[in-house]
Amino acid sequence: MERGGLGRKVSPQISMEPNPDYDVSETLAKIFRDCANEDGDNPNYYINRKNWGKILACATTHSLASQVDNFPLVIFEIDYSIKKNKSLQCVGFVLAVEKARGKNLPQCGHAKDFADCHAINKSSSQYQYSDDCLNVSAGTVAVNSSGKYGHIGIVSHVSEIGQPQVRFVSAWGTDSNQGGVITIQPYILSADEFCHKFDTFIKSK
C-alpha cells in the first residue's frame, strides 16, 4: 500500500484520532472509522466491498452524519470508489470530502494525475493550483505525484503552536478486501518533511 518514489514515499501509518472540530475531512474520518470497527471486529478499520453494507448502515445513522452537508453525495462517491476498486481509494475519499464542502473537484484519474489536470485548470471558479507548501491551510488538497499511482489527501489542520504541524487525512486503498483505511497522519510543516512528501497543492477559492 506504499505510494511515492524513492525519497518521497508516503505510507499508511497508525492513525491519530479524528477531531471533527478541525475539518469535515476529519468528521468523515470519524464517522467511517467508527462504523468500520463498530463491533470491535475490524481493528484495521478496513472499508471495502466485504463490509461496506454494514458500514453504510451505521454511517447513515451516526450522530455526526447530520452535521455533514450533502451527506448522500458523500456516500455516493465512497460507494462508487469501493465498488469500482474493491476498497476505498484515496481519490474517492477526496472527492467525497469536496462534495461535503459543496464543491465538485474534477475527476482526473489516478492520484498523481491531479498534479497537472486540465479539468482543474478549467474549473478556475472553484479551485486553483499552488506550489506554496509552507502556506497550506485546512481544506488544501495535497498530492504526491511520484510512483505508479501517487497519493492524495486533505490538510485538515495546521497547528500554530511551536513548530507548525500539519494533520493530513487520506484513504489507503488496495484492489482487495484487505484495504481501504482512512488515516490522519502528522507531518512537520517544513521543506524537509511535509514539502518533501507532497509536491502539488489544490486550494478552494
Side-chain angles (χ1 to χ4, degrees):
M1 292 197 298
E2 205 162 36
R3 299 287 186 268
L6 184 64
R8 286 204 295 120
K9 288 183 177 179
V10 291
S11 59
Q13 304 163 359
I14 296 174
S15 179
M16 303 170 73
E17 283 297 313
N19 186 338
D21 292 334
Y22 285 150
D23 184 68
V24 69
S25 58
E26 296 219 19
T27 303
L28 294 177
K30 173 68 174 171
I31 292 171
F32 290 107
R33 284 177 64 86
D34 282 355
C35 290
N37 195 33
E38 182 182 20
D39 298 326
D41 58 355
N42 183 16
N44 293 313
Y45 301 93
Y46 289 147
I47 304 170
N48 48 53
R49 289 185 192 175
K50 184 177 180 180
N51 61 8
W52 174 232
K54 180 180 176 181
I55 293 171
L56 176 59
C58 168
T60 55
T61 59
H62 193 285
S63 61
L64 292 174
S66 62
Q67 300 179 27
V68 178
D69 291 338
N70 305 310
F71 197 64
L73 295 178
V74 170
I75 293 295
F76 175 86
E77 291 292 349
I78 291 178
D79 181 78
Y80 180 81
S81 180
I82 292 168
K83 289 180 177 177
K84 182 181 179 181
N85 303 286
K86 295 186 180 179
S87 66
L88 178 60
Q89 306 291 308
C90 59
V91 169
F93 179 69
V94 168
L95 294 178
V97 171
E98 292 306 293
K99 284 293 194 299
R101 299 191 203 282
K103 293 180 175 289
N104 292 297
L105 182 66
Q107 170 56 271
C108 300
H110 295 304
K112 68 176 184 179
D113 298 322
F114 282 78
D116 185 15
C117 180
H118 180 65
I120 291 177
N121 285 320
K122 286 180 65 178
S123 67
S124 58
S125 63
Q126 288 195 321
Y127 296 99
Q128 61 184 358
Y129 278 113
S130 171
D131 58 5
D132 190 356
C133 172
L134 295 177
N135 284 304
V136 297
S137 57
T140 299
V141 176
V143 183
N144 177 315
S145 64
S146 63
K148 185 176 181 180
Y149 300 111
H151 191 61
I152 189 170
I154 306 281
V155 173
S156 61
H157 181 71
V158 180
S159 69
E160 298 180 358
I161 300 174
Q163 187 170 18
Q165 187 177 79
V166 168
R167 288 170 69 100
F168 175 76
V169 188
S170 66
W172 299 89
T174 66
D175 60 356
S176 75
N177 285 329
Q178 298 299 313
V181 60
I182 301 171
T183 64
I184 299 95
Q185 299 167 273
Y187 290 98
I188 299 299
L189 184 55
S190 68
D192 294 332
E193 188 165 323
F194 184 72
C195 299
H196 186 61
K197 298 290 186 182
F198 300 95
D199 50 78
T200 306
F201 306 93
I202 304 166
K203 294 185 174 184
S204 295
K205 288 188 174 180

